[in-house]
Amino acid sequence: MKKLISILLILMIIPSGGICLKAQEGYVSLDPFPYSTHVLGEDLVIYGDTDFASVTLGLFYPKDQGYMGYAKYIITITARELKEGYVIPTETYSRLWPKGDWSVVVQNGTARAEITIPMAEEACYNRYVRVCEYSDNTLTAVNTFACRGVVIKNNTMSFSLSDGTTIRIYSWDNLSPTDSGEARLFVAFYKDGYMIKAKTYSGNLDSFSNHVTLAASESERVEILYWEDGLIPVQ
C-alpha cells in the first residue's frame, strides 16, 4: 500500500514539475533588421516573437562617440505588439539622435534578444536584387535593382528603389501562396500604390527565400539573388 501511494505521489509531482519548467523556458526573439541602415527621421519598426505575455523593449545609444550605450527609450509592450511590429519614432540627425550603431533589446527576466541598427542621415542603396534568366546553364538575361534592403514576409519579397518604385516578388499556385513546388512567380512593379507592370515565370519552385530558384524546364530556369555590395549573399 505504501509503495502504491509513493508511486501516485511521484506521478502527481512529475506533471507539476514539467509545467513549472516550461514556464521557466520562456523565449524572446527579434527579426533581423532588414535594411543596411535606418534613416534618422523615419519610423523604426521592430518585429519579434515571445511566449511571454509582455516584454521590455529598449533602444540604446551607440557605445562610442561618448554615448556609452545608454538607454534612449524603454517601454513594456505586449507579445502581440511585438509580433505585429512595434513602431519607434526617430528624429532627424542631431546631438540627441546621432549616427552610428544603435541597439534594440527585448527582455523578460533572463530571456533576452538583441539586434544592432545602423542609423544614418541618408538612405544607402547598397544591397542588390538580381533576377537572372538561364538557358542551357548560360546566363541569357539579368536585371539588377539597387535597394536599401528586402522585407520578406507572408511569402512576399518587397523592396523600394531610389526613384520611389516598389517591387514585390511573390509565388502562387492556384491563387494560393506557395514556397515550393509548381508555382507561378510574379515580379511586380508599383508606383504611387498602383501596379505599373509585371513579369511572370512558371515552373517548379525550389524554395522561396533570399535565393529563389524556379525551373521552367530541364534547360531553362530563373534565379533571384539578394546580395550586399561586393556580391556577398545577405543572410
Side-chain angles (χ1 to χ4, degrees), residues 14-82:
I14 289 175
S16 175
I19 292 171
C20 291
L21 181 60
K22 185 175 181 180
Q24 293 172 359
E25 291 179 345
Y27 72 91
V28 292
S29 65
L30 286 171
D31 291 359
F33 188 62
Y35 305 110
S36 58
T37 55
H38 171 78
V39 178
L40 287 163
E42 295 182 350
D43 286 343
L44 175 63
V45 186
I46 303 299
Y47 293 92
D49 196 16
T50 181
D51 59 356
F52 293 108
S54 62
V55 293
T56 299
L57 182 149
L59 176 66
F60 296 86
Y61 278 109
K63 295 179 181 179
D64 57 3
Q65 309 173 65
Y67 291 94
M68 306 293 290
Y70 291 138
K72 173 70 175 180
Y73 182 90
I74 294 179
I75 190 172
T76 298
I77 63 174
T78 65
R80 181 175 179 178
E81 287 177 307
L82 180 63

Side-chain angles (χ1 to χ4, degrees), residues 155-231:
N155 212 54
T156 300
M157 297 176 64
S158 179
F159 54 95
S160 296
L161 310 182
S162 58
D163 65 356
T165 300
T166 297
I167 299 177
R168 295 189 179 98
I169 301 173
Y170 51 95
S171 59
W172 289 75
D173 177 24
N174 292 326
L175 302 181
S176 296
T178 183
D179 56 9
S180 62
E182 289 299 319
R184 182 180 292 272
L185 196 66
F186 295 83
V187 181
F189 296 74
Y190 296 82
K191 191 81 169 182
D192 299 323
Y194 296 94
M195 187 171 69
I196 54 177
K197 64 178 179 177
K199 188 167 185 179
T200 64
Y201 306 90
S202 295
N204 190 278
L205 184 66
D206 178 59
S207 64
F208 193 91
S209 60
N210 285 355
H211 183 180
V212 178
T213 300
L214 183 138
S217 66
E218 291 185 1
S219 60
E220 296 183 338
R221 74 180 188 277
V222 176
E223 292 192 21
I224 299 175
L225 310 171
Y226 177 34
W227 287 341
E228 293 183 19
D229 194 7
L231 307 184

